[in-house]
């Protein structure tokens, strides 16, 4: 049994819970304990409560804001569709900025290398829009919806470890001394996960890739003071990629605020890694770029610097001894400022929700956790290289490949075409095809497919065992009745 100690329960459903998935008569309702209240944790709480389970989320922070300040996050069409399925369209409209097109610009001269308009067809097929919002708003949207569906959220609670033993319920220890038991524990505690350490038994390190990433937040009121910056702000539905040789900037409006991800060669930036950096210091490192980019950075109110890294491979995600599973960045860390990462983190929740909406037997819990790991690991293996290739594409060093790419972009620009559309198999087109592959994926559909192909067979096997257990006494009684007295 779990008890509530001194920590605050700051959010709990005030209204009766609306369940979209109506549990059937044999539905087995269980309790999930989620360690970590952020994208993966809140989304999992939402999705599992929606499926009919009870969920408690614990987070060490006493507020929703991120430790590293505000930054923009992309809600790719596949994530957008999932959020719409979770009835969050109004929140998306309120906090998001829709991106209609991409503008490719030369980092040094400001020459426009062309536009690419998001194809109607792609958006129609994927059933969603591409939207940018502040990461903190995305977290808050998920938190509010999780609470609406009945999740219990406890902030200011630090988990120090877990206890896992085959055959018994896992439990989490808090630094306050409290112990909380659950049927399943989700480790949604991010890339430095405490739970992960206990699942895999070792520390994992990311591998720096030789590029530094600067996360630049620029207040819109400052941008309005400079006509060129104001023009960037006004083109709110355009994402701009400023591409240089080893240098790049990715700029967009996210819910009214302006974000710039700046990529620079890593050598010489090491002293700034994992720290904030002054705008003037970054401005110096960026030279020689088009002056408007330097002015953009100088208007920033917060800049953090990280090495761009290849994340480590985490294996396994499910604790070998029991019902503890990693989700989000704890399971599959993505590079910071990743454009495909939020959909991966929230997508985990979509998969868990659908799988566990079919829970009828205790023994299915292990099957579902294994299925979750297999399906999501496979997805990560496909999406992570696409993310890294996208970044490589914009920071591509000088050389033949870059010259060919720029020539192809200019040719399509001069022909009045969308720059990523074409019959050639050049890199730009390949990237676009990759993005389509990511955007058209429906995680809930994939989970249902698994259920129809495999899960239901397992359920029938379980059902047969259950029926056999019920039938044995009846058969025995019948035999006894048949036996002459
Ligand atoms: C500096 C930085 C910049 C980034 N920039 C961007 C960006 O611009 N755009 C973007 O989309 N993504 C960005 N990311 C990545 C993004 O933040 C993550 O991909 C995303 O938040 C991962 O979600 P998550 O829920 O898996 O984990 P996290 O967001 O890492 O959340 C983990 C949660 O667990 C809690 N926690 C940790 N340990 C414990 C414990 N022991 N007990 C209780 N609670 C605990 C933490 O407080 C936290 O709330 C950035 C990340 C960083 C660090």
């Amino acid at each position: 049994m779990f008890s509530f100690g001194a920590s605050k329960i700051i959010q709990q459903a005030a209204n009766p819970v609306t369940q979209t998935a109506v549990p059937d008569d044999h539905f087995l309702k269980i309790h999930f304990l989620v360690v970590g209240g952020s994208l993966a944790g809140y989304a999992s709480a939402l999705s599992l409560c929606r499926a009919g389970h009870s969920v408690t989320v614990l987070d060490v922070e006493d507020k929703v804001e991120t430790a590293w300040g505000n930054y923009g996050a992309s809600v790719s069409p596949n994530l957008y569709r999932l959020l719409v399925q979770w009835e969050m369209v109004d929140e998306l409209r309120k906090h998001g900025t829709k991106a209609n097109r991409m503008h490719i610009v030369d980092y040094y001269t400001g020459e426009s290398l062309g536009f690419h308009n998001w194809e109607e067809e792609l958006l129609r097929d994927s059933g969603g829009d591409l939207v940018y919002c502040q990461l903190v708003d995305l977290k808050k949207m998920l938190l509010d919806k999780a609470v609406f569906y009945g999740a219990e959220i406890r902030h200011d609670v630090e988990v120090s470890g877990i206890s896992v033993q085959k055959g018994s319920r896992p439990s989490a220890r808090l630094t306050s001394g409290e112990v909380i038991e659950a049927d399943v524990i989700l480790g949604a505690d991010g890339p430095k996960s405490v739970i992960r350490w206990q699942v895999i038994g070792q520390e994992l390190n990311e591998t720096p890739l030789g590029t530094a990433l600067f996360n630049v937040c620029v207040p819109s009121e400052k941008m309005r003071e400079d006509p060129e910056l104001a023009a960037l702000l006004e083109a709110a539905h355009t994402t701009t990629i400023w591409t240089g040789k080893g240098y790049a900037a990715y700029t967009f409006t996210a819910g009214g605020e302006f974000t710039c991800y700046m990529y620079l060669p890593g050598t010489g930036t090491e002293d700034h890694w994992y720290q904030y950096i002054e705008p003037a210091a970054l401005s110096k490192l960026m030279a020689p770029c088009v002056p408007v980019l330097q002015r953009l950075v100088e208007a920033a109110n917060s800049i953090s610097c990280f090495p761009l890294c290849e994340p480590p491979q985490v294996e396994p995600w499910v604790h070998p001894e029991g019902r503890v599973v990693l989700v989000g960045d704890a399971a599959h860390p993505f590079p910071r400022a990743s454009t495909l990462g939020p959909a991966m983190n929230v997508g985990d929740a979509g998969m868990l929700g659908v799988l566990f909406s079919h829970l009828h037997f205790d023994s299915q819990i292990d099957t579902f956790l294994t299925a979750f790991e297999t399906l999501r690991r496979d997805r990560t293996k496909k999406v992570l290289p696409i993310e890294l290739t996208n970044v490589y594409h914009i920071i591509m060093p000088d050389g033949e490949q870059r010259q060919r790419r720029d020539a192809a972009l200019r040719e399509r620009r001069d022909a009045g075409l969308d720059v990523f559309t074409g019959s050639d198999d050049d890199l730009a087109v390949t990237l676009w095809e990759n993005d389509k592959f990511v955007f058209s994926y429906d995680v809930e559909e994939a989970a249902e497919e698994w259920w129809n192909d495999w899960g239901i067979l397992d359920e029938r096997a379980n059902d047969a065992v259950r029926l056999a257990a019920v039938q044995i006494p009846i058969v025995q009684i019948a035999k006894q009745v048949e036996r002459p007295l």
Side-chain angles (χ1 to χ4, degrees):
M1 284 304 291
F2 62 87
S3 61
F4 298 120
S7 61
K8 294 176 276 180
I9 298 175
I10 65 156
Q11 307 265 2
Q12 217 169 2
N15 304 319
V17 176
T18 315
Q19 301 284 349
T20 305
V22 181
D24 61 42
D25 288 348
H26 301 296
F27 178 71
L28 177 62
K29 177 173 176 166
I30 60 171
H31 181 232
F32 286 84
L33 183 68
V34 180
V35 181
S38 183
L39 294 189
Y42 292 143
S44 299
L46 182 169
S47 169
L48 289 163
C49 281
R50 211 169 159 264
H53 296 287
S54 97
V55 183
T56 303
V57 182
L58 310 176
D59 196 275
V60 64
E61 299 291 338
D62 61 0
K63 56 185 181 323
V64 180
E65 280 71 23
T66 48
W68 283 92
N70 270 353
Y71 36 81
S74 75
V75 175
S76 48
N78 48 324
L79 174 54
Y80 186 98
R81 187 182 45 235
L82 186 59
L83 298 180
V84 169
Q85 274 157 216
W86 291 346
E87 295 148 30
M88 293 168 70
V89 72
D90 291 342
E91 292 88 333
L92 278 168
R93 286 202 181 121
K94 183 170 167 207
H95 296 292
T97 307
K98 188 175 165 189
N100 289 337
R101 62 179 187 169
M102 203 171 257
H103 188 196
I104 317 295
V105 177
D106 185 275
Y107 177 87
Y108 306 102
T109 62
E111 176 197 355
S112 168
L113 296 171
F115 287 89
H116 189 93
N117 291 286
W118 288 90
E119 295 148 48
E120 279 297 314
E121 186 196 337
L122 168 65
L123 299 178
R124 205 176 41 245
D125 287 355
S126 64
D129 282 329
L130 171 65
V131 164
Y132 291 101
C133 63
Q134 293 294 305
L135 194 73
V136 68
D137 288 331
L138 184 57
K139 276 171 73 168
K140 280 185 185 154
M141 283 183 226
L142 292 165
L143 165 64
D144 289 348
K145 212 57 169 185
V147 170
F148 173 79
Y149 280 115
E152 179 200 13
I153 314 289
R154 296 176 63 189
H155 287 252
D156 216 356
V157 195
E158 184 171 6
V159 173
S160 56
I162 48 169
S163 254
V164 194
Q165 261 186 332
K166 254 204 173 89
S168 41
R169 296 173 89 216
S171 62
R173 283 185 313 282
L174 310 190
T175 47
S176 63
E178 186 184 342
V179 173
I180 307 181
E181 236 183 64
D183 295 298
V184 177
I185 294 181
L186 303 189
D189 50 345
K192 300 266 170 243
S193 170
V194 170
I195 309 299
R196 177 165 85 200
W197 197 92
Q198 288 200 246
V199 172
I200 65 172
Q202 57 171 313
E203 286 291 342
L204 293 176
N205 294 315
E206 44 189 21
T207 316
L209 292 170
T211 291
L213 163 67
F214 298 83
N215 213 317
V216 184
C217 309
V218 194
S220 36
E221 60 277 13
K222 274 244 185 119
M223 289 181 71
R224 288 202 187 90
E225 293 166 9
D226 177 320
E228 255 191 293
L229 297 183
L232 278 179
L233 195 63
E234 272 151 33
H237 303 295
T238 303
T239 310
T240 308
I241 291 175
W242 314 72
T243 175
K245 297 159 189 165
Y247 293 73
Y250 186 98
T251 60
F252 57 91
T253 304
E257 295 300 319
F258 204 79
T259 292
C260 167
Y261 301 150
M262 180 69 62
Y263 296 92
L264 305 183
T267 314
T269 64
E270 294 87 347
D271 288 351
H272 302 290
W273 290 2
Y274 306 104
Q275 291 179 40
Y276 288 105
I277 172 171
E278 286 301 317
L282 174 57
S283 174
K284 245 194 226 158
L285 290 168
M286 289 159 60
C289 66
V290 62
V292 67
L293 270 183
Q294 257 167 320
R295 295 207 308 282
L296 180 71
V297 163
E298 283 157 15
N301 62 358
S302 147
I303 307 175
S304 48
C305 170
F306 293 86
L308 178 72
C309 290
E310 180 165 351
Q313 293 265 342
V314 180
E315 196 156 7
W317 294 2
V318 180
H319 197 294
E321 292 299 317
R323 292 167 174 183
V324 175
V325 64
L326 304 173
V327 297
D329 268 13
H332 46 72
F334 263 54
R336 293 169 193 93
S338 139
T339 54
L340 307 178
M344 288 301 298
N345 293 326
V346 180
D348 287 353
M351 170 119 339
L352 283 172
V354 170
L355 294 178
F356 279 91
S357 70
H358 293 290
L359 191 67
H360 294 129
F361 303 100
D362 182 84
S363 60
Q364 283 175 309
I365 296 176
D366 299 309
T367 313
F368 288 174
L369 294 180
T370 308
F372 167 78
E373 176 171 349
T374 308
L375 295 169
R376 293 305 284 165
R377 182 186 290 290
D378 179 59
R379 191 71 198 154
T380 308
K381 274 196 188 141
K382 290 176 179 148
V383 177
L384 183 58
I386 293 177
E387 176 81 53
L388 293 171
T389 314
N390 282 352
V391 175
Y392 170 74
H393 186 239
I394 65 170
I395 60 171
M396 197 189 291
D398 201 11
E400 204 193 315
Q401 190 184 30
R402 184 180 182 89
Q403 283 157 17
R404 252 190 298 121
R405 186 205 65 180
D406 288 354
L409 290 175
R410 286 191 179 99
E411 201 181 302
R412 283 195 280 262
R413 173 200 64 191
D414 294 344
L417 296 172
D418 277 346
V419 287
F420 293 151
T421 316
S423 53
D424 327 340
D425 62 347
D426 67 42
L427 186 58
V429 176
T430 311
L431 286 165
W432 196 243
E433 290 305 318
N434 281 344
D435 280 347
K436 284 188 188 176
F437 162 79
V438 174
F439 296 166
S440 56
Y441 179 76
D442 185 326
V443 67
E444 292 191 320
E445 203 174 277
E448 280 298 354
E449 244 167 55
W450 176 88
W451 169 252
N452 288 323
D453 291 347
W454 303 104
I456 207 157
L457 295 177
D458 186 64
E459 160 135 329
R460 285 187 187 139
N462 267 298
D463 221 21
V465 172
R466 185 174 61 88
L467 284 175
V470 174
Q471 280 164 4
I472 287 164
I474 299 171
V475 172
Q476 280 168 356
I477 291 165
K479 278 191 178 154
Q480 280 169 9
V481 171
E482 273 169 20
R483 206 181 300 145
L485 292 169

